[in-house]
Amino acid sequence: MNSLAIIGTQWGDEGKGKITNYLAKDADFVVRYQGGNNAGHSIFVNNKKFSLHLLPSGIFYKNVVNVLANGVVIDLFGLVDELNELKANNFKDFKLLISERAHVVFPYHKKIDGLFEELKAKDKIGTTKQGIGPAYTDKSSRIGIRIIDLFDDKYLAKRLKENILIKNNLLKSFKIEDQIDFDSLYQKILVIRKIIKPFVKDTAKIIYDALNQDKKVLFEGAQGVLLCLDHGTYPFVTSSSPTASSIPLNVGIPCNYINEVLGIVKAYTTRVGRGVFLTEITDQISEKIRIKGKEFGTTTGRARRIGWFDATLIRYAKRINGLTKISVTLLDVLSGFEELKIAINYKINGKIIDGIPLLEEDLLKTEVEYLILKGWKEDISKIKTFAELPENAKKYLRAIEKYGEVKIAQFSVGPKAEQTIDLIKIW
Ligand code: IMP
Ligand code: MG
């Protein structure tokens, strides 16, 4: 098989979009398989920054077929906005396919996402308020509406009415006056569905056939392993699984069709939203990294929390996903620091533990063991080879590899494609 999974190994925002776009030039297909427009992938094309939320990061190549698979939840209005943005920038020849089985995110999902966050008050998750959780909830509750259902007028009207009744009752029970209106939403859907109709296909079959014909298929993860509903830092997670093991189910291909798993690893750690973050930096160093790394959410604009590189998380990501290689991103952001820390172990009562503790009481007892490395001053954003790196930057990368226990195939020193240095051929 000629498949490659691109997986976020931390809490998202590792630079998956940049790397996917870079590797997509050799791909036949780029497939988004989970999440929705909670994701934010920043990509530089022709010196312009694009923020993709739903569209796969291969969309800028004419020859690549971009797929939104069944595991994705699709905000129709958000999708059409992104398509319009592409067209406005003269990208008109893209290829896009949308799974008929993907579920739709409706405006009422966003409303409920916001409401639940408000109700949780200080315990809120810090979601992107894109309606992702409520849309997946409806899917699991078997009241969701799939892309294909949009094209069956009678069924769509019936299902939408049922859903709106449930949502309006929920809103009423929280004394929210503003009700959802069936007619206006239904009319808007009748218009927007025409735009997406040409893209709707049985994508599972198309990708299965493509892999059997030895086509190159790249699976683009959104978010990161630690935001996985099952294996992340629950409940501060997203509502899908960004892991490699979720690809077969979320695309509709056999589980032995994934052979390379590239973990994307930011050279430090960030997190948006609430939840455990054991290597978080709270002094002015975090602000310096935030500004240099432009660490503000692509979807929400929120300032990201900043922390030291955590090798224990990479070992965890390797175990959960079967990472075969990693790509280290944003190394350039770390120029100009006296010293840099790398977390190498978590310990409770002096004993090394594996993974992140699940209970608050254990988290409070967890100590982080750090390796302290000397920093480097030089700007590295223009280097082209590993050999050109300052000695301390080389040592930093070697430590990531040693303590992360996985080979570095590539590292990057800036947002542009040409600022990517390949060490091992990825596919
Ligand atoms: P939701 O996915 O909007 O429900 O948000 C749940 C959690 O996942 C929140 O902490 C979000 O900040 C986080 N999250 C969701 N999508 C992304 C992403 O693409 N990058 C980083 N964090 C994300
Ligand atoms: Mg992002």
Side-chain angles (χ1 to χ4, degrees), residues 103 108-109 133-144 163 167:
H103 278 243
Y108 52 74
H109 289 126
Y136 279 115
T137 303
D138 283 0
K139 177 177 177 179
S140 313
S141 305
R142 293 154 297 173
I143 57 168
N163 268 285
K167 274 43 172 187

Side-chain angles (χ1 to χ4, degrees), residues 11-13 38-40 125-129 132-133 223 227 237-238 272-273 302:
W11 281 284
D13 307 313
N38 49 348
I125 309 286
T127 74
T128 60
K129 297 194 183 153
I132 305 301
Q223 293 88 39
L227 287 170
V237 293
T238 191
V272 242
R302 289 178 290 177

